[in-house]
């Protein structure tokens, strides 16, 4: 196992030391949010609420803006596209899947913030206790959990792409915005790694 370099970890630890010391466990939560994680979660909860209540925007360079309302209305450049019930159901399904991907991304962000703070705290402990190998193992274990969560985002992309293609077939006005393809899924699966501080 490689040795952990003390200087970079000490710098990272000092950056997050106040937050690491301020970790507040929550009852019955095996991985409670750190203080920074709690702040990130508060901000992301506001973003989640906004996403649920406001129009979802789909954009593509050179094309008018597309919005999908919480009720399934499809707007292109501010004008409502007439939809029958089956088209509206596809629009709603697409919106729900897009929000699911966004939610998963938000959760990975919160987990990443918590990982950074915990890594800083572990680095400080390791420097003072001289157990760098144990610190590295604990940080790697936490990073694996974040990587698994990141992969869950990738797992949502194939059904999202399938819905996007169905929507483009059912609503021709949406076709220019249906740009997702298999390479996007492949890139996600290849790039869902997490850098360990």
């Amino acid at each position: 196992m490689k040795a952990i370099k003390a200087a970079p970890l000490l710098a990272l630890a000092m950056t997050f030391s106040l937050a690491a010391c301020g970790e507040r466990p929550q009852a019955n939560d095996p991985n409670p949010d750190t203080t920074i994680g709690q702040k990130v979660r508060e901000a992301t909860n506001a973003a989640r609420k906004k996403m649920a209540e406001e129009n979802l925007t789909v954009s593509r360079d050179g094309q008018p803006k597309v919005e999908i309302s919480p009720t399934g209305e499809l707007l292109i450049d501010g004008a409502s596209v007439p939809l029958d019930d089956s088209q509206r159901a596809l629009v709603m399904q697409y919106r729900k899947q897009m929000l699911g991907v966004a939610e998963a991304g938000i959760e990975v962000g919160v987990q990443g913030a918590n990982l950074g703070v915990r890594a800083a705290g572990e680095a400080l402990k390791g420097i003072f206790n001289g157990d760098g190998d144990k610190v590295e193992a604990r940080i790697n274990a936490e990073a694996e959990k974040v990587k698994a969560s990141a992969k869950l985002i990738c797992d949502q992309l194939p059904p999202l792409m399938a819905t996007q293609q169905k929507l483009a077939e059912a609503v021709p006005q949406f076709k220019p915005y249906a740009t997702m393809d298999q390479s996007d899924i492949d890139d996600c699966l290849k790039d869902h790694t997490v850098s360990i501080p």
Side-chain angles (χ1 to χ4, degrees), residues 85-150:
D85 289 344
S86 64
Q87 291 169 322
R88 187 172 306 279
L90 278 172
V91 169
M92 289 297 290
Q93 181 180 355
Y94 183 69
R95 177 185 165 87
K96 181 179 178 182
Q97 289 172 323
M98 288 286 289
L99 291 177
V101 170
E103 288 273 344
I106 287 171
E107 188 57 34
V108 169
V110 172
Q111 290 176 8
N114 285 323
L115 174 62
V117 172
R118 287 192 184 106
E122 291 291 332
L124 277 175
K125 290 176 195 173
I127 290 167
F128 293 117
N129 297 336
D131 62 349
D133 287 345
K134 290 178 184 175
V135 168
E136 183 176 11
R138 288 191 295 264
I139 293 171
N140 285 338
E142 287 293 317
E144 286 303 315
K145 292 176 188 175
V146 178
K147 286 164 73 172
S149 293

Side-chain angles (χ1 to χ4, degrees), residues 6-57:
L9 286 176
L10 183 57
L12 177 66
M14 297 309 263
T15 302
F16 290 109
S17 61
L18 289 176
C21 293
E23 289 187 30
R24 286 183 259 164
Q26 299 170 354
N28 302 321
D29 188 348
N31 293 308
D33 286 342
T34 61
T35 301
I36 288 178
Q38 288 173 352
K39 295 295 181 194
V40 170
R41 190 170 299 281
E42 288 170 13
T44 57
N45 284 344
R48 285 182 174 104
K49 185 176 188 297
K50 186 175 180 178
M51 286 187 317
E53 295 174 353
E54 295 183 5
N55 290 355
L56 174 71
T57 301

